[in-house]
Amino acid sequence: MPCPPSPPGPSPDGSAAAISAADEVPRSRVVTASLIGTSIEFYDFYIYATAAVSVFPLIFFSGADDTAKLLASMATFGVAFIARPLGAVVFGHLGDRVGRKTTLIGSLLTMGIATFLIGLLPTYQQIGLWAPAMLTILRFFQGLGLGGEWSGAALLATEYAKEGKRAWAAMWPQLGAPIGFFLANGLFLLLVLGFDHDSTNPEMDGVFLTWVWRVPFLLSLVMVLVGLYVRVKLEETPVFQRALANDQRVSAPLGEVFRRNWWELILGTFVMYATYVLFYIMTTWILSYAIGKTGDGFLGVPYAEFLVLQLVGIVFFAAFIPVSGMLADRFGRRPVLLIVTGLMILFGLTFGWWLNPETMGTGADVDVPRMVMFLVIGMMLMGLTFGPMSAVLPELYPTNTRYTGSGIAYNVSSILGAALTPFIAAWLVTTFDVAYVGYYLAAASLLTLIALFLAPETKHADLHAVTSARERRTAR
């Protein structure tokens, strides 16, 4: 059970010195540690997402049905999202009991080692069913690591932030998503172009499918070592230092967060839900739809050409994350997110107009400006909705269960909004038409809109408190 809330200042038992030492950590070091870690984690995650669409169906799965192999590959992609809530529990317990710094190092190593080992895996042609089995296991550990990474990086940023600037400070780990995506897909693009790989007519015995695809996975080890160095040099956050000095930790953060913060878990999950659906529609699903064969109802765009268009969209994703941070600090989290989520509903309702093969064109006749505009609008909305989340979710929870609570909400939402999205979207296209993917996004955004209406404004939440925003509001 938690101790009673501490007084506003640090206790005289040594916490003042601890907090002072933490406050002296240069802001640039905090920014670098939160940004580089999430950049690496998302890089690892995205190289798998890219390979799951363009490589893994060819070398890890058997059969003559290309759609079935793509769906099987997407299923392994979804395994990580099942692992992420477990990672949130495991690393959340450590983060709330041991500290943010140590836990962030553990999550980084878990993710990085699993990614490196994927680059060493034998294929289905070499060892049969053992290949997809081992791929699935390593994908599980990727998800386990990422389940503890995001919430730790978000807490690192917010718990060091100045009052009134938390959304701006919290946007730095969010920038790791577009940076990781850009690095992962940019590297894949260079390799595809450099080795003349044609995704529409792949050579099974060519160098790209033989060994070149492994390079991005193997290179992740170098990035992990850099991230490890940065995080080892970091101090613990001043908020956790105070909680530690005042003996405000709880013995079982998981039980405590379910007992006292169950409503915040529900709200946080659905506040984040539409963001996940939008992102994985605009990255993983749209890639499979764009490069899929025209005979199967897809657009038939060469992989390398479409990847360039996606990278253009990612620039707008990155550019609008800082914009959302500034807006959320000035106007509050709820007003900004309510407006953006409403725009996401409208965007979803226009998918049929944007992406129908008759209007978009296929193969060499695809309407490139139209596709670029679609990607840019989607990614602008993604930046605006994603940016404030690393402030909103941690602010919902008290200090002694913040790592666990924010991590569970974020990662349970990943199951609902990300693990199923590429699979459901691919099924909707083949069963109905592309407009239904947009309807799916609009429905998810409506659920998020309802959650935002029910959620409290957390702009002025006290991060040192050991009661949730709801409990403090009820007490008043």
Side-chain angles (χ1 to χ4, degrees):
M1 293 294 293
C3 297
S6 62
S11 65
D13 58 0
S15 62
I19 297 167
S20 177
D23 286 337
E24 292 174 0
V25 175
R27 179 65 192 161
S28 59
R29 187 181 300 175
V30 177
V31 168
T32 302
S34 61
L35 176 60
I36 196 170
T38 53
S39 297
I40 294 168
E41 301 283 356
F42 281 107
Y43 166 86
D44 288 356
F45 215 67
Y46 296 150
I47 56 175
Y48 190 101
T50 302
V53 171
S54 58
V55 176
F56 293 163
L58 301 173
I59 64 174
F60 282 104
F61 301 94
S62 64
D65 189 336
D66 292 338
T67 300
K69 290 193 292 185
L70 174 62
L71 291 176
S73 183
M74 288 296 188
T76 67
F77 176 77
V79 165
F81 295 99
I82 298 172
R84 283 171 65 163
L86 178 59
V89 171
V90 172
F91 289 109
H93 179 88
L94 294 173
D96 286 326
R97 289 289 302 162
V98 179
R100 309 336 188 186
K101 171 184 172 179
T102 303
T103 306
L104 278 168
I105 291 173
S107 66
L108 181 67
L109 288 175
T110 301
M111 182 88 174
I113 293 172
T115 303
F116 177 77
L117 292 177
I118 289 174
L120 300 177
L121 282 180
T123 66
Y124 181 89
Q125 289 75 22
Q126 294 171 316
I127 61 170
L129 291 175
W130 283 106
M134 289 191 292
L135 179 67
T136 302
I137 292 171
L138 291 176
R139 178 61 173 168
F140 180 88
F141 279 98
Q142 269 195 321
L144 198 70
L146 189 58
E149 167 61 29
W150 179 87
S151 50
L155 266 59
L156 187 66
T158 56
E159 291 185 348
Y160 266 109
K162 295 180 180 178
E163 184 66 27
K165 297 292 184 181
R166 280 204 300 260
W168 174 259
M171 70 89 187
W172 289 106
Q174 302 300 77
L175 276 175
I179 289 173
F181 187 98
F182 202 90
L183 290 174
N185 288 279
L187 179 55
F188 259 108
L189 176 61
L190 291 176
L191 294 173
V192 166
L193 295 176
F195 290 89
D196 197 26
H197 175 66
D198 182 3
S199 63
T200 61
N201 188 27
E203 298 179 27
M204 293 303 298
D205 57 350
V207 293
F208 188 87
L209 292 180
T210 302
W211 65 269
V212 171
W213 71 267
R214 302 177 184 275
V215 172
F217 291 89
L218 299 177
L219 284 179
S220 68
L221 185 63
V222 177
M223 300 177 65
V224 168
L225 293 176
V226 174
L228 187 62
Y229 172 77
V230 173
R231 287 187 170 176
V232 165
K233 293 178 67 66
L234 195 69
E235 299 292 336
E236 187 55 79
T237 73
V239 172
F240 187 79
Q241 290 274 29
R242 177 178 291 186
L244 184 65
N246 290 331
D247 195 25
Q248 292 175 326
R249 293 176 298 171
V250 293
S251 58
L254 178 62
E256 188 72 9
V257 80
F258 273 105
R259 186 178 70 83
R260 296 181 60 183
N261 309 124
W262 59 269
W263 179 239
E264 286 81 7
L265 289 176
I266 295 172
L267 286 180
T269 297
F270 284 98
V271 163
M272 187 71 200
Y273 175 54
T275 302
Y276 265 122
V277 172
L278 175 63
F279 185 71
Y280 282 91
I281 283 176
M282 297 303 301
T283 54
T284 304
W285 170 78
I286 191 64
L287 176 62
S288 66
Y289 178 71
I291 71 173
K293 295 178 180 179
T294 55
D296 296 328
F298 301 135
L299 300 182
V301 181
Y303 171 73
E305 292 181 17
F306 186 75
L307 200 50
V308 172
L309 306 184
Q310 270 199 310
L311 292 175
V312 172
I314 291 297
V315 172
F316 286 85
F317 177 21
F320 276 79
I321 287 177
V323 172
S324 70
M326 290 187 291
L327 292 174
D329 274 334
R330 181 171 181 180
F331 300 107
R333 287 54 162 144
R334 287 180 74 248
V336 171
L337 290 173
L338 283 169
I339 293 172
V340 174
T341 305
L343 293 174
M344 288 164 57
I345 293 175
L346 296 177
F347 180 58
L349 296 176
T350 66
F351 267 43
W353 182 82
W354 283 107
L355 296 175
N356 191 289
E358 283 73 27
T359 55
M360 177 62 74
T362 59
D365 298 323
V366 73
D367 189 339
V368 173
R370 189 186 193 92
M371 178 60 80
V372 170
M373 283 302 301
F374 172 79
L375 294 172
V376 166
I377 292 171
M379 285 302 180
M380 286 170 55
L381 291 172
M382 182 61 204
L384 290 171
T385 185
F386 188 60
M389 288 300 171
S390 55
V392 172
L393 296 189
E395 287 169 348
L396 285 172
Y397 302 93
T399 298
N400 46 13
T401 58
R402 183 171 295 130
Y403 205 127
T404 301
S406 61
I408 290 175
Y410 182 84
N411 290 293
V412 169
S413 182
S414 76
I415 292 181
L416 301 176
L420 300 176
T421 290
F423 188 92
I424 290 175
W427 177 80
L428 287 171
V429 171
T430 55
T431 305
F432 302 101
D433 62 57
V434 71
Y436 282 80
V437 178
Y439 301 153
Y440 174 48
L441 171 61
S445 300
L446 180 60
L447 288 175
T448 288
L449 200 67
I450 294 170
L452 286 167
F453 273 115
L454 296 174
E457 174 57 63
T458 58
K459 178 181 177 180
H460 299 294
D462 179 10
L463 293 190
H464 290 282
V466 291
T467 55
S468 68
R470 173 175 53 89
E471 291 173 318
R472 293 192 296 275
R473 192 170 65 253
T474 301
R476 290 199 298 269

